[in-house]
Amino acid sequence: MAFNRLDNAKSHKPQKGDTLESIAKEQNQLGNNISWQDISQYNWGTTDKDEAENFMRDELAAYTRTEDNTLALSPDDNAKNEIKIPVQFQQQLIPLQQVHEIKLRKKTTPKQFLGCCSIPSVTFGFNSSFIRPSVAEDLVQLEDLAKQKADAKVLIFGHTDAVGDELYNKKLSERRAWSTYAFIVNDPDVWETLYNHKDEDWGLAAIQEILQDLGYDPGPIDGKIGPLTRSAMRAFASLPEDAPINNNAPFRKSLFGAYMSSKHDIDLPRERFIEPGFTGCGEFNLVEESNNASEKNRRVTFYFFHKDRQPTLPCKFADIAPCKKQLINENYRHKTGFRCNFYDSFAKRCPAERPDIFTTTEVVLLDSNDHPVKGTQVNALIDGEPYEASTNENGTAKLQHLKSAKICEVSFSHYPSGTWYPVDK
């Protein structure tokens, strides 16, 4: 179907509760025979319902939901753009035996959500933003995803459990996300700020954990600066055993910098992040629904978005008012623990946040001598949806997909030409 030019189209004035379906129904009553898919394709170049809702969220600031869990508009939404109403092009007769120039317009749109991964709870202590050395195992997945989605833009979301005050937890989640961002982009000055923050208590125990991780034995991780800890500090600073040493700002900056750039260092520079790089969700998005202390909820999650489809953040730092505005009834959520409509709208696709509906299929690639083939991209169609992953040192690629999926087609785009076949185990 052909429609008149977008720049000449009329804008729709939203009424409370408007959906794409209701707008199309209203237009049909006026004699303009269009569907919600026509409206979506005309405005955003997609007829995929999830993608259309993403545009409604980002372009039209739609955060409320109807009884059938469809995003709805409101006149007081702080929309960036308007919905244009398509009107079918009235084709006119053209004279024969002449050259006629006809312009075709096809609007396409890339998918917004490209992937996610999480730094799990064991990385953070209660009421702390210090990143423990155990993070090294989780960074492998993050680095693999960053390589696979080399053009994607990244945003870090911090979370807390539900113990304590909502505003306090919002600020704590922001510090966790900020700490992680600094850890990834190697910014020790941020850690010095957090080390001295009035609501943080990293203390000497954090220094001892870092020294131990870097190969300098501080003795027991007890938060006390005894002889073994001082000896480890001197060894790190390349000082003689009898030299004075203090846990001061210059020492910590050097230590934090070494920790960030050691085995934990990955290639994910600042320019890969959506400004400001991170935000905090507080206790509004729980993976484990509990009002008690929960390590599973003390986490940060990395989301990868298409560079041309970056989401519009409604979040504000140290302010839960935007969070409160987006709280949705449990019946309308994709995951009941996620109370924020904005976060819930894309976290539903995140295997790290939805282990209840996602699972992992492993593909092992071996050469003719049964040696692992590493660093090869694996492309898969799982129930028609595209997935990709890279093989690791063991030749293994992990494909995370819905548990309900049944059919998988696999190809290896970077593998040398030749034949391959599955090996039963």
Side-chain angles (χ1 to χ4, degrees), residues 116-134:
C116 75
C117 65
S118 179
I119 291 182
S121 52
V122 292
T123 307
F124 295 105
F126 182 75
N127 198 36
S128 174
S129 63
F130 171 61
I131 298 177
R132 295 165 172 166
S134 57

Side-chain angles (χ1 to χ4, degrees), residues 5-122:
R5 290 167 57 97
L6 184 66
D7 52 5
N8 293 332
K10 292 184 179 179
S11 299
H12 173 75
K13 186 176 181 179
Q15 304 297 315
K16 189 174 181 61
D18 271 350
T19 65
L20 294 183
E21 289 89 344
S22 68
I23 295 171
K25 183 177 180 180
E26 177 184 294
Q27 287 295 312
N28 276 264
Q29 292 171 348
L30 295 173
N32 184 20
N33 189 24
I34 59 173
S35 64
W36 75 262
Q37 292 93 336
D38 293 330
I39 298 174
S40 179
Q41 178 69 41
Y42 189 66
N43 284 272
W44 307 308
T46 182
T47 56
D48 182 274
K49 191 171 182 62
D50 285 340
E51 287 298 323
E53 289 208 340
N54 288 343
F55 277 108
M56 290 185 69
R57 181 195 67 209
D58 294 335
E59 300 292 321
L60 307 174
Y63 299 124
T64 59
R65 289 190 177 272
T66 62
E67 291 184 359
D68 63 354
N69 208 18
T70 299
L71 276 184
L73 303 177
S74 176
D76 58 355
D77 288 339
N78 188 25
K80 292 196 305 182
N81 291 303
E82 301 173 306
I83 285 185
K84 299 289 189 177
I85 301 298
V87 176
Q88 191 170 355
F89 175 70
Q90 300 299 316
Q91 185 173 355
Q92 299 179 3
L93 299 176
I94 59 175
L96 301 178
Q97 298 180 358
Q98 294 183 25
V99 175
H100 299 277
E101 183 179 276
I102 299 175
K103 291 186 177 181
L104 301 178
R105 172 183 173 272
K106 184 178 180 181
K107 189 172 184 177
T108 58
T109 179
K111 284 193 172 183
Q112 183 182 56
F113 175 81
L114 299 180
C116 75
C117 65
S118 179
I119 291 182
S121 52
V122 292

Side-chain angles (χ1 to χ4, degrees), residues 154-180:
V154 186
L155 193 62
I156 301 173
F157 288 83
H159 308 272
T160 71
D161 55 33
V163 177
D165 177 74
E166 286 181 344
L167 180 58
Y168 182 91
N169 285 337
K170 175 75 162 69
K171 295 176 182 178
L172 173 58
S173 69
E174 290 165 356
R175 295 198 301 274
R176 283 181 175 155
W178 190 26
S179 175
T180 305

Side-chain angles (χ1 to χ4, degrees), residues 57-58 112 155 274 305-306 309-313 342 346:
R57 181 195 67 209
D58 294 335
Q112 183 182 56
L155 193 62
I274 298 172
F305 298 100
H306 194 283
R309 288 284 314 283
Q310 300 174 36
T312 301
L313 285 179
F342 172 75
F346 53 81

Side-chain angles (χ1 to χ4, degrees), residues 199-219:
D199 292 325
E200 293 278 344
D201 186 24
W202 291 25
L204 190 65
I207 302 302
Q208 291 172 323
E209 284 197 64
I210 295 174
L211 285 168
Q212 186 178 71
D213 185 65
L214 293 176
Y216 304 95
D217 182 14

